[in-house]
């Protein structure tokens, strides 16, 4: 399906509930990472409301349990079950444990959890730069580990939450972990979000014969989320003033979850794979970052970059 064929009844102001209206997900199972706050909670809520059994894959299981209890109290009769599983994307042992504990098919995997722009360079216990490790490598290990469950679902969908922040940097294969260049929180964030998009491209090609579709998305500029807890707003203001970054209009959490839910469950995107979406539609490619408020960089969709990233990621998560 081309960009011009993408459904136009949804847009930037569409909410997740509007996207899924009339969709029946009873009998489907979903896992949403980072579903203890922000758009992860809303994504889980609307999938469950449509009938899916949803696992909140979260680092803080106490917070996840509070969310699950709240959702169960709010959801209408006939909704799917909401359960909690521990998943710390920076800790490969918890990823392996989550994969080992999963039984049966998995119809929807939303790689939603993320970390944005910690001001200082940090590394995971296995030596990886934290943003790349959490935003990409953890999800790569999770999804590839769950591949048999996705394949068993006969039409599964994997959703990779990227960002317009991918315009800050391609994946710098020669220095993924900032061992040679000075650490910068924004280029680090950018390469991790580019990796999220490339992961979808790589999975789309490799898993098509298993009936699995994989797409990436930009959720929008959402103020009410814990993602930006590390962000220096003065630094953001300086980027905007320099003309190097232009933020899209703000969205509510309900609007921010809409594109994730579209790709996870809407019949309007059936069969579409390996693409990058924003505002519930396929994004146009852009050729420069300055002033951009939308769009996807060609390097984030390049099949050769995707193949190289896949090989590197496999080696790093062994």
């Amino acid at each position: 399906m081309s960009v011009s064929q993408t459904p136009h009844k949804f847009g930037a102001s569409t909410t997740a509930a509007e996207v899924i209206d009339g969709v029946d997900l009873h009998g489907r199972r979903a896992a949403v990472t980072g579903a203890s706050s922000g758009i992860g909670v809303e994504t889980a809520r609307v999938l469950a409301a449509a009938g899916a059994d949803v696992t909140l894959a979260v680092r803080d299981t106490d917070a996840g349990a509070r969310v699950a209890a709240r959702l169960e109290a709010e959801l209408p009769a006939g909704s799917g079950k909401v359960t909690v599983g521990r998943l710390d994307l920076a800790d490969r042992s918890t990823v392996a444990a989550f994969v080992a504990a999963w039984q049966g098919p998995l119809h929807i995997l939303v790689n939603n959890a993320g970390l944005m722009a910690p001001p200082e360079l940090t590394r995971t216990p296995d030596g990886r730069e934290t943003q790349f490790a959490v935003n990409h490598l953890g999800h790569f290990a999770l999804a590839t580990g769950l591949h048999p469950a996705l394949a068993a679902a006969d039409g599964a969908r994997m959703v990779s939450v990227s960002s317009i922040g991918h315009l800050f940097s391609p994946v710098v294969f020669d220095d993924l972990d900032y061992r040679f260049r000075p650490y910068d929180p924004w280029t680090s964030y950018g390469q991790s979000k580019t990796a999220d998009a490339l992961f979808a491209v790589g999975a789309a090609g490799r898993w098509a014969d298993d009936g699995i579709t994989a797409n990436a998305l930009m959720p929008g500029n959402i103020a009410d989320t814990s993602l930006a807890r590390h962000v220096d707003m003065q630094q953001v203001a300086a980027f905007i003033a320099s003309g190097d970054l232009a933020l899209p209009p703000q969205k509510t959490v309900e609007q921010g979850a809409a594109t994730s839910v579209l790709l996870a469950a809407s019949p309007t995107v059936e069969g579409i794979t390996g693409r990058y979406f924003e505002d519930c539609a396929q994004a146009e490619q852009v050729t420069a970052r300055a002033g951009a408020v939308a769009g996807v960089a060609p390097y984030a969709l390049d099949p050769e970059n995707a193949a190289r990233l896949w090989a590197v990621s496999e080696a790093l998560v062994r």
Side-chain angles (χ1 to χ4, degrees):
M1 184 181 287
S2 68
V3 173
S4 63
Q5 293 173 304
T6 301
H8 293 289
K9 65 178 181 177
F10 304 136
S13 62
T14 302
T15 66
E18 290 169 339
V19 164
I20 211 167
D21 184 44
V23 176
D24 184 1
L25 296 180
H26 286 91
R28 308 276 182 96
R29 302 172 72 207
V32 182
T33 71
S36 59
S37 65
I39 64 172
V41 174
E42 181 64 7
T43 300
R45 186 186 71 79
V46 297
L47 293 176
D53 292 333
V54 181
T55 298
L56 313 180
V58 298
R59 182 175 55 84
D60 183 343
T61 53
D62 288 339
R66 290 192 293 271
V67 170
R70 188 179 85 233
L71 292 181
E72 288 174 346
E74 296 172 353
L75 287 167
S79 296
K81 297 179 181 177
V82 179
T83 57
V84 179
R86 184 167 186 264
L87 180 73
D88 182 347
L89 293 163
D91 182 345
R92 283 163 49 185
S93 68
T94 75
V95 177
F98 187 95
V99 169
W102 191 271
Q103 299 293 320
L106 174 61
H107 301 85
I108 298 166
L109 174 61
V110 183
N111 295 326
N112 167 82
L115 178 67
M116 184 168 72
E120 303 295 331
L121 173 63
T122 58
R123 301 190 189 280
T124 60
D126 56 347
R128 306 273 72 88
E129 187 276 316
T130 302
Q131 286 195 88
F132 188 75
V134 169
N135 294 349
H136 170 61
L137 287 176
H139 281 127
F140 180 86
L142 176 70
T144 54
L146 289 171
H147 173 255
L150 292 165
D154 189 23
R157 299 188 186 190
M158 185 186 81
V159 179
S160 186
V161 178
S162 181
S163 168
I164 193 174
H166 82 274
L167 298 179
F168 282 125
S169 179
V171 175
V172 181
F173 289 100
D174 293 327
D175 192 19
L176 294 173
D177 295 311
Y178 287 83
R179 298 189 183 278
F180 295 93
R181 54 187 168 139
Y183 174 74
D184 176 81
W186 292 106
T187 60
S188 169
Y189 181 66
Q191 83 160 354
S192 74
K193 292 288 108 177
T194 295
D196 288 341
L198 288 173
F199 180 31
V201 174
R206 283 167 175 77
W207 296 348
D209 290 345
D210 300 312
I212 301 166
T213 60
N215 292 286
L217 69 112
M218 156 63 171
N221 174 19
I222 304 149
D224 187 14
T225 174
S226 64
L227 179 65
R229 61 190 178 275
H230 296 295
V231 173
D232 181 342
M233 295 312 296
Q234 289 185 333
Q235 188 181 46
V236 174
F239 271 119
I240 294 171
S242 70
D244 204 26
L245 171 69
L247 291 176
Q250 281 196 355
K251 290 186 178 184
T252 65
V253 168
E254 292 78 11
Q255 293 167 337
T259 308
S260 293
V261 171
L262 177 91
L263 295 174
S266 175
T268 61
V269 294
E270 185 73 34
I272 296 178
T273 191
R275 310 295 175 85
Y276 179 99
F277 278 66
E278 60 192 357
D279 295 338
C280 296
Q282 290 183 52
E284 301 284 354
Q285 291 195 19
V286 297
T287 58
R289 178 177 72 196
V293 295
V296 58
Y299 57 69
L301 295 175
D302 182 81
E304 292 185 4
N305 287 345
R308 185 177 182 185
L309 178 66
W310 195 284
V312 168
S313 301
E314 278 190 325
L316 291 177
V317 303
R318 282 194 187 120

